[in-house]
Amino acid sequence: MVPRTKIVTLTQFIIQRQSEYPHAKGALTRLLNDIATAAKIVNREINAAGLVDILGSSGKENVQGEAQKKLDVFANDMFITALKGGGECCAIASEENEKVISFSNEFSELGKYVIAMDPLDGSSNIESNVSIGTIFSIYRRITEVGGGTIEDLLQPGVNLVASGYIIYGSSTMLVYTTGKGVNGFTLDPSVGIFCLSHPDMRFPEISNIYSINEGNYIYFPEAVKQYIKYCQQDDESSGRPYTSRYIGSLVADFHRNLIKGGIFLYPGTKKMPDGKLRLLYECNPIAFLAEQAGGKASNGFKRIMEINPQTLHQRAPLFVGSRRMVEKVESYIQKYA
Ligand code: AHG
Ligand code: MN
Ligand code: MN
């Protein structure tokens, strides 16, 4: 094998980008590095699942009444610890915590940023060795002093400074955007460093994957049922029938669709009118990445990133992926509204 000689590490890449912002003082660089450090530790634990006692339920439930897995709790603790210790972040909202975690020590309260995160996404897949992820959103704080508050977190996606995910898959990747395109870094496990592997990620022009949990079909709105029918029709010119792929980890489903071209749908249903996915730490960060990769993210009527959040754990219907596919679903939803 020919050794690779040209390597751009995540840290180098962020610093190079930072030079494009004359007033930047490196805070965002340090914040992203803190996230990468926590991700590496979570990754180590995931890789050892089955060997160490990390699989299974923690015996507790989160605020949404969902059973917490041991890995949900471990990942949550790890990201909180890394971000608290880093000093750039003054508050966190997490799927696993009912309220905002405010860092009011003299070190962190000076932090200019707040983070919303899903520390472990797709946790129903942990036991079966299927890809899982971490999702994060970074906002500039609104309050000026002390630990961050809920006011700092309840910001629409259009205010995002950065967002990204880590996918713990056949390899581990960190994919992020600061609003200047999307870049992906693969963890080289032999040295424990994220290296640039997917520069300037864009949805491909030709897209033919749709991802939806069709087990819920009976509860879907008529518009979504009709769109699924459209996906399954025979039409050579538009590449239909499309291929159906659904993992059940938003990060993994989105990542595949970003690489191969496709749409992910989690609509509102009769049982859950706003769907399942959480606006602050699932929909918004993924929406920012989608838009930066030339795609689109919508709740059927408007841009996900323009929704004004009212509560920390609020949900939103999500249609995200290749632009034309999302526009097609929107046309169905608006027609049947
Ligand atoms: P989490 O593990 O953080 O609770 O998220 C699971 C989410 C998301 O990753 C996935 O797209 C969706 O739930 C799957 O839901 P269904 O099992 O209802 O399809
Ligand atoms: Mn999730
Ligand atoms: Mn989760």
Side-chain angles (χ1 to χ4, degrees):
M1 195 170 93
V2 182
R4 277 187 309 152
T5 49
K6 195 168 179 300
I7 293 172
V8 179
T9 69
L10 174 64
T11 313
Q12 287 171 342
F13 184 86
I14 303 169
I15 291 171
Q16 281 165 18
R17 283 289 167 102
Q18 191 188 299
S19 60
E20 294 169 19
Y21 302 88
H23 302 297
K25 295 194 178 72
L28 194 59
T29 308
R30 289 190 290 276
L31 197 52
L32 288 165
N33 266 326
D34 294 338
I35 290 171
T37 302
K40 284 186 233 177
I41 296 169
V42 171
N43 179 62
R44 184 193 64 199
E45 216 61 21
I46 290 169
N47 283 335
L51 299 173
V52 296
D53 183 25
I54 195 74
L55 291 178
S57 168
S58 71
K60 294 190 194 132
E61 284 188 350
N62 67 15
V63 58
Q64 287 135 111
E66 299 159 342
Q68 283 179 319
K69 307 265 183 169
K70 286 181 193 160
L71 258 174
D72 284 320
V73 177
F74 178 84
N76 194 40
D77 291 348
M78 202 37 78
F79 280 97
I80 292 170
T81 305
L83 292 164
K84 189 174 180 186
E88 305 299 344
C89 167
C90 64
I92 293 180
S94 164
E95 179 189 5
E96 305 304 336
N97 297 87
E98 180 181 1
K99 299 207 165 107
V100 168
I101 304 159
S102 177
F103 299 149
S104 48
N105 58 64
E106 56 186 29
F107 181 50
S108 299
E109 68 177 24
L110 299 175
K112 295 200 168 27
Y113 296 99
V114 294
I115 290 193
M117 65 171 183
D118 179 353
L120 223 282
D121 172 64
S123 44
S124 67
N125 284 315
I126 294 171
E127 270 81 18
S128 42
N129 224 328
V130 172
S131 300
I132 48 185
T134 295
I135 315 177
F136 60 90
S137 278
I138 303 178
Y139 290 95
R140 211 162 275 119
R141 71 184 298 176
I142 290 172
T143 55
E144 285 172 9
V145 287
T149 70
I150 189 167
E151 187 193 344
D152 298 308
L153 268 312
L154 292 183
Q155 299 193 51
V158 287
N159 290 1
L160 276 166
V161 172
S163 78
Y165 58 77
I166 296 102
I167 176 165
Y168 311 97
S170 43
S171 65
T172 296
M173 282 187 70
L174 189 152
V175 176
Y176 83 98
T177 182
T178 55
K180 291 192 170 188
V182 177
N183 291 281
F185 301 79
T186 301
L187 181 65
D188 181 336
S190 63
V191 286
I193 295 174
F194 283 103
C195 299
L196 181 64
S197 53
H198 294 61
D200 198 16
M201 297 173 84
R202 312 274 308 166
F203 282 98
E205 272 304 305
I206 296 171
S207 307
N208 64 2
I209 296 174
Y210 73 103
S211 314
I212 187 165
N213 184 346
E214 276 187 74
N216 295 327
Y217 187 88
I218 194 81
Y219 304 122
F220 288 157
E222 187 56 28
V224 174
K225 288 181 177 168
Q226 291 300 323
Y227 177 73
I228 293 174
K229 225 178 239 172
Y230 166 85
C231 293
Q232 296 172 343
Q233 276 161 3
D234 179 18
D235 178 53
E236 218 175 299
S237 65
S238 57
R240 287 176 291 148
Y242 293 150
T243 293
S244 166
R245 290 282 181 272
Y246 190 76
I247 295 171
S249 297
L250 171 63
V251 166
D253 279 306
F254 176 79
H255 184 74
R256 182 207 48 246
N257 291 352
L258 173 56
I259 304 260
K260 296 194 165 179
I263 181 168
F264 174 92
L265 308 92
Y266 211 111
T269 64
K270 283 186 192 133
K271 284 187 166 175
M272 301 180 89
D274 288 326
K276 176 183 181 189
L277 300 177
R278 277 60 57 108
L279 178 62
L280 284 193
Y281 43 83
E282 291 179 317
C283 303
N284 264 335
I286 294 292
F288 193 24
L289 288 159
E291 290 193 5
Q292 286 296 315
K296 194 166 179 178
S298 164
N299 68 356
F301 297 97
K302 68 191 279 193
R303 258 175 100 196
I304 288 287
M305 292 179 72
E306 285 177 5
I307 300 173
N308 275 318
Q310 306 296 318
T311 58
L312 279 189
H313 300 285
Q314 89 183 55
R315 301 170 197 263
L318 178 66
F319 306 99
V320 61
S322 301
R323 170 167 294 277
R324 260 179 287 184
M325 294 178 102
V326 174
E327 282 167 358
K328 190 75 188 174
V329 185
E330 282 181 323
S331 73
Y332 275 93
I333 293 201
Q334 288 162 23
K335 182 170 150 198
Y336 283 85

